[in-house]
Amino acid sequence: MKKISQMRRSVLPLAFTFTFALFMLSGCIGVFDFVCNFAGDNDYHCYQWFAVQEEDPDMCANVNQAEKFEKGGSNPPRDKCYLMIAEKTGDPSGCSNIQGGMMSYTVQECVWKAAVSARNPEICHTIEGSHNGFAQTYNTETCLAAIEDAGGAIEEEEEEDEEGEEEEEGECKYDSDCDAICEGDVMWKMGCNARTNSCEKTFDTDCKSEMETFGELSFGKICSGGECIRDESSIDAKRSELTAEKKKLSDEVKQINGIRQELTTTMLDTNKKCLSGLADATNIIIIEGATRIASLSSSLTSFAMQGGKQLDVPSAMVDYAGDNVQKLFNYLDNPNPPEEQKLSLPDFIALNCKLYDYFKMELASYDGILDEALEKATNVDAQLNELP
């Protein structure tokens, strides 16, 4: 049902032209069956369309009963076929074939419409009984009144109006005259009510349930102009979010690489002092080492806090390398500490050996952090490239 309006506007006219050509060449009416077989579950609309175009009530017999009407024992599409032909031609001969029943049409309504369409009072007098429709009672009296309201009976010798003005028949005559509408993100297909010649809701589609998938990302569609279309707004919002995340990860990778470089430099410096066998641990050498280690400690603490972690790097170094770490940092507050707070040469060398191991361990940890950040950045970049 979702594509029926488009099928009538494009496929069916072409199919009719094709069929008509074959009919003229071969005289084979069965070609209609060939075309309508392609309509699948909607074949009853196909046969109905051809029957009305040909103005042939006999073709209405091909309109199959839709599944939703089986329990009610009625066939509204077939009855509507006879009614539309009678209304189009002004000939009620096919009305006697109307089955009627639940949600369907009646013989009185069919004859009534043929009489009013032809503006022929004689046909009105063939209506037997009366039927109360949705907005109209169908009997001989209302039929005659309707013809009178339309301008009276058409005499056989009456000429057509020179201006060719057509009688107002409402907003639709066929389902194809009704365009789909949107209510929020729900699309409603519209059908023509033959009783009132007005467009009414038939089938709905929740556009949000129609998903478009781009890689790992999925977006529901929205309804606009009577059709389900791509949700460009949500896609653009996701693109902006991923772009910001990509920038954040790029800055983080740069910061991690900066810390890794600082770790490497400090690690190599402590290793050199560990292995070189210093002859003396002068205040200048100690203060230079303390300054470099304090700067690195500040960088490690700042990065941890950005990730929401509370990390006391100096305390962690004390836990790993001992109290001599604190003695090292005391030189930054007092270049000439009391004798009992000074670092001896053996203690200074041993401290650098331990700090080398500590920084080597930290460097390995930051290699893992870098790999994780690069993986996230690669994933975000891949999602961006998948978006339309």
Side-chain angles (χ1 to χ4, degrees):
M1 289 299 294
K2 292 182 177 180
K3 300 297 182 183
I4 192 65
S5 293
Q6 293 179 340
M7 182 183 76
R8 288 187 177 133
R9 292 192 181 101
S10 56
V11 176
L12 287 178
L14 291 175
F16 175 74
T17 302
F18 171 68
T19 303
F20 182 75
L22 289 177
F23 175 76
M24 294 298 292
L25 291 173
S26 65
C28 180
I29 299 179
V31 74
F32 293 129
D33 293 327
F34 172 80
V35 174
C36 290
N37 280 338
F38 288 99
D41 294 337
N42 298 308
D43 62 346
Y44 58 89
H45 282 107
C46 179
Y47 283 113
Q48 183 188 85
W49 188 89
F50 277 119
V52 174
Q53 297 303 311
E54 290 294 296
E55 301 179 357
D56 184 358
D58 292 337
M59 291 181 64
C60 293
N62 294 315
V63 180
N64 296 322
Q65 183 182 43
E67 289 184 5
K68 61 182 179 180
F69 299 117
E70 286 181 356
K71 291 184 179 180
S74 61
N75 192 338
R78 182 184 295 166
D79 289 348
K80 186 177 180 180
C81 180
Y82 292 120
L83 184 145
M84 287 192 296
I85 293 174
E87 185 176 17
K88 182 180 180 182
T89 62
D91 180 1
S93 60
C95 295
S96 60
N97 296 312
I98 286 183
Q99 176 181 340
M102 186 177 66
M103 297 179 68
S104 195
Y105 308 86
T106 64
V107 174
Q108 293 99 326
E109 183 178 356
C110 180
V111 176
W112 192 96
K113 286 185 176 290
V116 174
S117 176
R119 286 164 62 182
N120 186 343
E122 292 184 5
I123 299 178
C124 291
H125 290 289
T126 66
I127 299 176
E128 297 180 1
S130 180
H131 168 68
N132 293 322
F134 179 77
Q136 175 68 57
T137 298
Y138 301 98
N139 56 37
T140 298
E141 289 73 25
T142 60
C143 179
L144 293 171
I147 291 176
E148 193 65 25
D149 290 341
I154 298 177
E155 300 297 332
E156 292 183 1
E157 66 274 8
E158 183 178 348
E159 295 182 358
E160 294 185 0
D161 185 10
E162 292 182 0
E163 296 180 358
E165 294 182 356
E166 295 183 358
E167 181 182 356
E168 290 284 339
E169 294 185 355
E171 64 178 322
C172 65
K173 192 169 184 179
Y174 308 110
D175 288 346
S176 58
D177 297 329
C178 301
D179 295 325
I181 63 171
C182 291
E183 287 187 351
D185 285 320
V186 175
M187 177 186 69
W188 280 96
K189 285 291 186 182
M190 305 293 282
C192 186
N193 186 326
R195 296 183 177 91
T196 62
N197 295 114
S198 61
C199 294
E200 297 180 349
K201 295 177 183 176
T202 55
F203 300 99
D204 66 304
T205 299
D206 182 2
C207 293
K208 285 295 185 184
S209 66
E210 294 190 3
M211 307 299 293
E212 284 191 298
T213 300
F214 309 101
E216 299 178 359
L217 303 174
S218 295
F219 302 87
K221 292 185 176 182
I222 60 173
C223 191
S224 178
E227 60 180 332
C228 293
I229 64 172
R230 177 172 293 171
D231 188 354
E232 297 287 359
S233 178
S234 293
I235 292 175
D236 288 342
K238 190 62 178 181
R239 182 181 289 106
S240 297
E241 177 188 329
L242 290 173
T243 300
E245 180 68 13
K246 181 180 179 180
K247 174 67 167 55
K248 177 184 176 183
L249 288 169
S250 176
D251 293 341
E252 185 177 316
V253 167
K254 292 178 182 178
Q255 185 179 11
I256 294 171
N257 276 325
I259 292 175
R260 289 176 66 253
Q261 182 61 45
E262 193 174 357
L263 268 169
T264 300
T265 300
T266 306
M267 181 187 70
L268 293 176
D269 181 66
T270 55
N271 188 49
K272 178 180 178 182
K273 290 172 181 175
C274 171
L275 300 177
S276 64
L278 293 172
D280 189 18
T282 65
N283 284 5
I284 294 177
I285 293 175
I286 293 174
I287 292 171
E288 286 178 349
T291 301
R292 178 176 285 112
I293 293 171
S295 174
L296 174 60
S297 173
S298 177
S299 297
L300 295 176
T301 301
S302 176
F303 183 80
M305 291 179 65
Q306 289 177 23
K309 299 178 181 179
Q310 295 296 326
L311 179 63
D312 186 351
V313 176
S315 296
M317 284 192 284
V318 169
D319 291 341
Y320 188 88
D323 293 337
N324 282 335
V325 173
Q326 188 58 54
K327 285 186 175 182
L328 178 67
F329 286 142
N330 287 340
Y331 277 83
L332 297 176
D333 297 326
N334 185 2
N336 293 298
E339 194 65 31
E340 66 274 10
Q341 294 183 6
K342 288 184 177 180
L343 279 170
S344 66
L345 178 60
D347 287 343
F348 182 66
I349 293 174
L351 176 60
N352 276 276
C353 291
K354 289 183 179 180
L355 288 176
Y356 165 75
D357 291 336
Y358 177 80
F359 294 139
K360 183 178 180 180
M361 180 180 64
E362 283 295 300
L363 182 60
S365 174
Y366 271 82
D367 285 343
I369 294 173
L370 176 63
D371 290 340
E372 183 179 346
L374 288 173
E375 183 178 354
K376 288 181 179 178
T378 300
N379 184 50
V380 168
D381 195 52
Q383 292 184 58
L384 274 170
N385 290 334
E386 291 284 355
L387 290 178

